[in-house]
Amino acid sequence: MTDALKRLSEEGVAIWLDDLSRKRITSGNLAELIDQQHVVGVTTNPSIFQKAISEGDGYDQQLADLAARKVTVEEAIRMITTADVRDAADILRPVFDATGGQDGRVSIEVDPRLAHNTAATVAEAKQLAWLVDRPNTLIKIPATKAGLPAITEVIGKGISVNVTLIFSLERYREVMDAYLAGLEKAKAAGLDLSKIHSVASFFVSRVDTEIDKRIDALGTDEAKAARGKAGLANARLAYEAFEEVFGGDRWAALDKAQANKQRPLWASTGVKDKAYKDTLYVDDLVAPGTVNTMPEATLEASADHGQITGNTIAGTYDQSRREIEAVEKLGISYDEVVQLLEDEGVEKFEAAWNDLLKSTEAELKRLAPSEG
């Protein structure tokens, strides 16, 4: 086994695990990954919780108690998910303290059904921050049009945010703008900017999956030559935008007030196409000041045979632009693809949330005490 994960950390990439379950917490597995695999954060989403709650009996005791109290399904989900996030945050607290609050973070998502409602998203973010009540939590807000002002509002209240479901470069710039506006609000309110953190979750593999599908439908040799390049190119150009915004005058004023940069987080880094190496979105997206959140299979693959060769983003911007242009020249619209992916991303999380409601409701019924 190589120590590629150690090298990745040394290159300035924070390794986060894209998974959480009660079993992972109680078995000591999460603590082990922190200790042995350089994991310094955890991300969750509705799909992850749905899978965790529907498998095994790790939640039975809490579900039985909730059933006895006759709580609603929605309240049960909130109690269960925030308990897991709180416990994971406590396990990661030493990392949080050691990194001055930058890492040691656990993310929890607002109800995805609120993705197009700004006021409800803000209210939900405040509620989640209060419920978890740990300084090392990040509240996940989707980068929809309605999510952007919510990000500004929530950051302005001093709540740290993980902005999720970012696919396009234009939307990413809007996300950074929303973050800076939130910091300016927080500064005007006299809040300590050094305590506010944020990451921007830029999705990678889904871009390749959608564009490759369209390339395969064309079937020409010219089209096939463009396979598997758009996801990396898109992410690398996002890093270029990050360097530009956080090297500009607007940022300089906030930097003086001890604000933290909003780090790009590479999400959706599990490789979907077996034609590509399984560590592609780790090895080829190395740059300082980034986060890579990996499903466990990707984490294990990277630990076993990852090839970390230094910064693999620097010097790639012109080539990346050419690769996106090559896709456009095939008649595949970048703007159409990224909008579709955003819409589908919200729909998938909504569907997972609805599945979570159904499976939790079934468990509450199964474990409810008999009347008498």
Side-chain angles (χ1 to χ4, degrees), residues 50-109:
Q50 194 276 327
K51 183 171 178 285
I53 292 169
S54 62
E55 289 179 1
D57 57 3
Y59 296 89
D60 279 9
Q61 185 56 61
Q62 188 179 10
L63 280 160
D65 291 345
L66 292 165
R69 287 173 48 215
K70 294 186 167 59
V71 304
T72 65
V73 180
E74 308 237 347
E75 188 184 345
I77 288 169
R78 278 291 167 243
M79 292 299 104
I80 290 164
T81 57
T82 54
D84 278 1
V85 168
R86 193 179 306 114
D87 288 345
D90 289 343
I91 293 167
L92 278 153
R93 184 61 190 261
V95 177
F96 173 81
D97 293 337
T99 60
Q102 177 150 277
D103 288 308
R105 295 272 174 181
V106 187
S107 297
I108 184 168
E109 189 139 354

Side-chain angles (χ1 to χ4, degrees), residues 71 88 180 201 213 242 302 344 346 362:
V71 304
L180 296 181
S201 295
K213 186 170 78 178
F242 160 74
S302 295
E344 281 184 353
V346 173

